[in-house]
Short mmCIF file of all heavy atoms in Angstrom, two decimals:
data_model
loop_
_atom_site.label_atom_id
_atom_site.label_comp_id
_atom_site.label_asym_id
_atom_site.label_seq_id
_atom_site.Cartn_x
_atom_site.Cartn_y
_atom_site.Cartn_z
N ALA V 4 44.42 -31.02 -8.54
CA ALA V 4 43.89 -29.84 -7.85
C ALA V 4 44.94 -29.29 -6.91
O ALA V 4 45.95 -29.93 -6.63
CB ALA V 4 42.63 -30.21 -7.08
N ALA V 5 44.69 -28.07 -6.45
CA ALA V 5 45.57 -27.43 -5.47
C ALA V 5 44.98 -27.62 -4.09
O ALA V 5 43.78 -27.47 -3.89
CB ALA V 5 45.72 -25.94 -5.79
N ALA V 6 45.83 -27.99 -3.13
CA ALA V 6 45.40 -28.20 -1.75
C ALA V 6 45.97 -27.09 -0.88
O ALA V 6 47.12 -26.69 -1.04
CB ALA V 6 45.88 -29.55 -1.25
N LEU V 7 45.14 -26.59 0.03
CA LEU V 7 45.51 -25.51 0.93
C LEU V 7 45.24 -25.96 2.35
O LEU V 7 44.16 -26.44 2.66
CB LEU V 7 44.66 -24.28 0.60
CG LEU V 7 44.76 -23.07 1.52
CD1 LEU V 7 46.04 -22.31 1.23
CD2 LEU V 7 43.57 -22.16 1.33
N ALA V 8 46.25 -25.85 3.22
CA ALA V 8 46.09 -26.15 4.64
C ALA V 8 46.32 -24.86 5.40
O ALA V 8 47.26 -24.12 5.12
CB ALA V 8 47.09 -27.20 5.09
N VAL V 9 45.44 -24.57 6.36
CA VAL V 9 45.51 -23.32 7.12
C VAL V 9 45.45 -23.65 8.61
O VAL V 9 44.57 -24.39 9.05
CB VAL V 9 44.33 -22.40 6.75
CG1 VAL V 9 44.36 -21.13 7.55
CG2 VAL V 9 44.33 -22.09 5.26
N PHE V 10 46.38 -23.08 9.38
CA PHE V 10 46.38 -23.22 10.83
C PHE V 10 46.25 -21.84 11.47
O PHE V 10 47.02 -20.94 11.17
CB PHE V 10 47.67 -23.87 11.33
CG PHE V 10 47.74 -25.34 11.04
CD1 PHE V 10 48.42 -25.79 9.93
CD2 PHE V 10 47.11 -26.25 11.86
CE1 PHE V 10 48.49 -27.14 9.64
CE2 PHE V 10 47.18 -27.61 11.59
CZ PHE V 10 47.87 -28.05 10.47
N GLY V 11 45.28 -21.69 12.34
CA GLY V 11 45.13 -20.46 13.11
C GLY V 11 44.69 -19.29 12.27
O GLY V 11 44.11 -19.42 11.20
N GLY V 12 45.00 -18.09 12.79
CA GLY V 12 44.63 -16.87 12.10
C GLY V 12 43.21 -16.44 12.41
O GLY V 12 42.45 -17.14 13.06
N GLY V 13 42.88 -15.27 11.90
CA GLY V 13 41.54 -14.73 12.08
C GLY V 13 40.60 -15.15 10.97
O GLY V 13 40.86 -16.11 10.25
N THR V 14 39.55 -14.39 10.81
CA THR V 14 38.55 -14.68 9.78
C THR V 14 39.06 -14.23 8.42
O THR V 14 39.64 -13.16 8.28
CB THR V 14 37.24 -13.93 10.10
OG1 THR V 14 36.81 -14.33 11.41
CG2 THR V 14 36.17 -14.25 9.09
N TRP V 15 38.85 -15.06 7.40
CA TRP V 15 39.24 -14.74 6.02
C TRP V 15 38.28 -15.42 5.07
O TRP V 15 37.58 -16.37 5.43
CB TRP V 15 40.69 -15.16 5.75
CG TRP V 15 40.94 -16.62 5.97
CD1 TRP V 15 41.11 -17.25 7.17
CD2 TRP V 15 41.01 -17.63 4.97
NE1 TRP V 15 41.29 -18.60 6.98
CE2 TRP V 15 41.24 -18.86 5.63
CE3 TRP V 15 40.92 -17.63 3.59
CZ2 TRP V 15 41.36 -20.06 4.95
CZ3 TRP V 15 41.05 -18.83 2.90
CH2 TRP V 15 41.27 -20.02 3.60
N GLN V 16 38.22 -14.95 3.85
CA GLN V 16 37.29 -15.48 2.83
C GLN V 16 38.03 -16.48 1.95
O GLN V 16 38.96 -16.11 1.23
CB GLN V 16 36.75 -14.32 1.99
CG GLN V 16 35.72 -14.72 0.97
CD GLN V 16 34.56 -15.46 1.57
OE1 GLN V 16 34.42 -16.66 1.35
NE2 GLN V 16 33.73 -14.80 2.34
#
Side-chain angles (χ1 to χ4, degrees):
L7 173 77
V9 178
F10 287 97
T14 303
W15 59 282
Q16 184 55 251

